[in-house]
Amino acid sequence: MVEGFLLDLTNSPFPAKRTLALNLMNPTLRILLSVCTLTAAAIPGFAGTRLYDSKDIKEVVQPVPTPTPCNWTGFYAGFHAGGQFGHSETHDFVTGRTFGYSESGFNGGVQFGYNFQWNRIVIGPEFDIGYMNLEGRGTEQRFSSVRGETDSDFYTTLRGRVGTQVDWHGCWLVYATGGAIGLNYTKRFHVEPNFFDTRGTDFNWGYTVGGGVERKIGPRWSVKVEYLYYALQDQSFGEPVGNIPLEFRAETRGHILRAGLNYHF
């Protein structure tokens, strides 16, 4: 393009144009002329281009991950530990007197069960077995030599649970529970010093009611805290002294407070 323009000036009949053509033959001037020509040709290409500022740039929104549904359906198993405290009473049918005393101890074991969830309602059975040290002793107020004692080891509960699923900063289950409790239980009545001593050991049953709160800490694990009130059936025991039958009765009721960890299959 530049060479054709210079050639036209050189062949021009006008002396001034021919002089201009000779001056433009200078290499430096030719380079400048070429740059100006290319710049002028490129300007129309930018005419339709719009410059955007940061306000015009659309923000790319990352997709929010879908939360895992809060569902409790399925089998589970785990373990629990805590304590229990309560009250026992001994009835002496010979004198017609009754005296009571406090009892407390450790509670721990394993549990397993199944949950079925329908909408937000969760129901299912739960069974647990373990050790409960229901230990207590007391003295008859008017006769300090007359004493009563209790002790236990193996226990189990067979309960139902009904509750509601709650979505609040996690997956929760708030439930009520109730059913049967069984306890390998020893009762003792004795008069010191070595005057009279009788005891009875049986696997006693009773009822238990309570409630708890459970929270999932992952797809498979959950933690819980639970309260149970229990009352055992009255236990009768005794032995005759000579030809005189001596019978005693023990009543026991108390509270269990424990925490647990469950694995959901």
Side-chain angles (χ1 to χ4, degrees):
M1 179 184 298
V2 176
E3 286 79 0
F5 174 70
L6 295 176
L7 183 59
D8 290 339
L9 292 178
T10 305
N11 297 326
S12 174
F14 301 100
K17 290 185 177 182
R18 289 195 299 271
T19 302
L20 177 60
L22 293 175
N23 292 331
L24 292 177
M25 291 297 182
N26 184 289
T28 302
L29 294 177
R30 292 184 63 184
I31 293 174
L32 291 175
L33 183 61
S34 299
V35 170
C36 293
T37 304
L38 292 174
T39 302
I43 287 176
F46 291 97
T49 303
R50 178 185 174 188
L51 298 179
Y52 294 88
D53 58 17
S54 58
K55 296 181 179 180
D56 296 325
I57 300 176
K58 293 184 178 180
E59 183 179 351
V60 178
V61 179
Q62 297 295 333
V64 179
T66 303
T68 304
C70 184
N71 195 316
W72 291 90
T73 298
F75 289 96
Y76 64 90
F79 64 89
H80 61 269
Q84 63 81 28
F85 57 95
H87 182 79
S88 293
E89 290 187 351
T90 299
H91 298 261
D92 182 354
F93 288 96
V94 176
T95 63
R97 300 184 62 82
T98 300
F99 62 97
Y101 44 90
S102 299
E103 45 82 11
S104 61
F106 172 78
N107 167 256
V110 297
Q111 72 270 352
F112 55 94
Y114 181 82
N115 290 322
F116 173 76
Q117 181 170 336
W118 179 72
N119 291 333
R120 290 185 174 273
I121 303 300
V122 180
I123 60 174
E126 182 174 282
F127 311 94
D128 60 284
I129 57 175
Y131 175 81
M132 185 162 71
N133 182 25
L134 197 155
E135 182 178 359
R137 55 180 52 87
T139 303
E140 213 279 335
Q141 293 181 355
R142 296 186 181 181
F143 303 96
S144 59
S145 60
V146 178
R147 299 173 179 252
E149 296 181 6
T150 59
D151 201 2
S152 64
D153 45 28
F154 172 77
Y155 92 104
T156 184
T157 71
L158 299 86
R159 296 171 289 109
R161 301 199 308 173
V162 56
T164 179
Q165 167 259 318
V166 178
D167 284 312
W168 183 75
H169 299 286
C171 185
W172 296 80
L173 174 63
V174 181
Y175 63 90
T177 182
I181 182 172
L183 182 67
N184 192 42
Y185 192 42
T186 298
K187 296 79 57 183
R188 183 187 180 196
F189 180 89
H190 60 103
V191 180
E192 297 179 346
N194 300 323
F195 177 74
F196 178 77
D197 193 337
T198 183
R199 69 186 65 199
T201 300
D202 295 299
F203 195 82
N204 296 109
W205 288 94
Y207 72 90
T208 179
V209 293
V213 178
E214 191 168 357
R215 184 185 189 278
K216 285 194 174 182
I217 55 175
R220 296 289 185 180
W221 294 95
S222 66
V223 292
K224 70 173 184 176
V225 291
E226 187 174 69
Y227 164 79
L228 295 175
Y229 171 82
Y230 67 90
L232 299 177
Q233 292 179 340
D234 294 350
Q235 304 93 34
S236 297
F237 63 101
E239 59 184 44
V241 176
N243 294 325
I244 303 176
L246 299 180
E247 186 179 16
F248 306 90
R249 187 180 72 223
E251 298 178 0
T252 301
R253 56 188 58 85
H255 313 269
I256 299 173
L257 185 61
R258 60 192 184 180
L261 177 69
N262 283 325
Y263 178 81
H264 298 261
F265 298 94

